[in-house]
Amino acid sequence: MLPNGFEFINEPVDKRLMGVIVDTLARKFIKSEVSTSLDGLKDMCFLYAMRSGVTVSIDDVRTPTNKQEILDEYEIEADKVEQHFRRGIITDGERRQQEVEIWTDATAVIAAEMEKSLKAMAVQPCPDDGWFRCSW
């Protein structure tokens, strides 16, 4: 996929190395070679991603079992902020800012729980369920 004269790469290409490749192409080669190489790399990446058959479906995304507990904790914090506003301890702008921070934090905690759940899932690219068999 790379033009003649591009240094041979004999290692897995991760995100960082792909950035180096694109940068090198842009600096050292003419636009037509860069375009052809980038299109070829893109097509090759899609081809092998498709062949791998590894995908994440919406059905794989699970709501954390402790989501309601997390929300309840942050709801208590939000209630305290509301009480402070009603008592005149904080302004309406401060109340809004604190509530945004509280719910942003809650969202981040729930997202982290969902990410843990996804990472804990065992990826089994060739399930042996009786009807599917890997050909390799």
Side-chain angles (χ1 to χ4, degrees), residues 66-84:
N66 62 340
K67 178 181 178 182
Q68 192 57 53
E69 295 167 23
I70 294 168
L71 291 176
D72 290 344
E73 289 176 28
Y74 284 94
E75 186 67 44
I76 291 169
E77 285 186 45
D79 287 344
K80 287 179 186 176
V81 169
E82 186 65 31
Q83 288 174 5
H84 289 160

Side-chain angles (χ1 to χ4, degrees), residues 94-132:
E94 292 169 324
R95 176 187 62 84
R96 286 187 208 160
Q97 180 181 356
Q98 289 180 22
E99 286 179 349
V100 166
E101 289 173 7
I102 287 168
W103 294 114
T104 299
D105 291 346
T107 301
V109 169
I110 291 170
E113 288 293 318
M114 292 176 78
E115 186 176 340
K116 269 198 277 184
S117 171
L118 278 172
K119 286 181 178 179
M121 289 174 48
V123 175
Q124 195 174 13
C126 295
D128 186 9
D129 60 5
W131 64 271
F132 180 81

